[in-house]
Amino acid sequence: MNVDEVRAYCMGHPEATEKLQWGDALCFKVREKMFAVLGLDQVRLTCKCSPERFAELIERPDIRPSPYLGRHNWVMLDRLEALRNDELKDLIRQSYEMVAAKVPKARKKAQKAVNEKASSARKHKKGSRRPK
């Protein structure tokens, strides 16, 4: 996978957002909680994984514990080709699912209210247009 494919895959998850942070880091978030970080200048990918998967992955070439986040089972791929495409997608999906499952319910409800309000505003705006 290349940078554009990784970005498209991350953004394909429900409620996924992206934000450029820390210079060249494109952070992918679900309800404001980070699930993947894609380095753009120096291409690399950071994701959360289970403790078992973490132990397995850091034994592979070009994969190491992520600086600052490694103690929380985040890995850094120094190059996207460190995993096959199917493995890379699986890693991103698992990271997304783990992070999304831990988002506090209050935040989920607040985000749902924001989404409903935005949807309602779009519908109202669409219905208020006069024909030409």
Side-chain angles (χ1 to χ4, degrees):
M1 294 179 78
N2 63 34
V3 169
D4 292 330
E5 292 168 328
V6 170
R7 180 182 175 271
Y9 184 73
C10 288
M11 291 300 294
H13 290 82
E15 300 182 69
T17 59
E18 63 183 352
K19 182 177 182 182
L20 192 62
Q21 291 183 211
W22 311 305
D24 78 325
L26 189 55
C27 297
F28 297 97
K29 300 179 180 189
V30 55
R31 294 183 293 271
E32 300 194 31
K33 293 290 254 180
M34 190 169 58
F35 69 90
V37 180
L38 181 61
L40 299 176
D41 292 339
Q42 180 185 351
V43 177
R44 61 204 178 284
L45 181 71
T46 303
C47 290
K48 184 175 182 63
C49 54
S50 68
E52 299 80 22
R53 185 89 168 122
F54 178 84
E56 173 199 330
L57 288 173
I58 62 171
E59 295 298 318
R60 294 187 181 191
D62 300 316
I63 303 175
R64 59 191 165 100
S66 174
Y68 310 107
L69 296 171
R71 68 179 185 269
H72 299 291
N73 298 313
W74 284 70
V75 293
M76 177 179 280
L77 283 66
D78 291 326
R79 56 189 195 87
L80 298 178
E81 299 81 18
L83 293 174
R84 294 186 323 259
N85 287 353
D86 62 320
E87 292 178 303
L88 188 54
K89 286 181 178 181
D90 191 50
L91 177 66
I92 294 168
R93 180 189 52 77
Q94 288 178 0
S95 181
Y96 170 85
E97 289 173 354
M98 291 172 66
V99 172
K102 288 192 171 193
V103 175
K105 289 183 182 182
R107 186 176 290 171
K108 288 180 189 177
K109 288 179 183 176
Q111 186 65 43
K112 185 177 179 182
V114 167
N115 291 344
E116 288 172 354
K117 185 176 181 182
S119 177
S120 177
R122 283 191 300 269
K123 287 178 186 175
H124 178 70
K125 187 175 183 181
K126 194 175 191 179
S128 66
R129 294 183 185 159
R130 288 195 268 168
K132 292 182 178 180

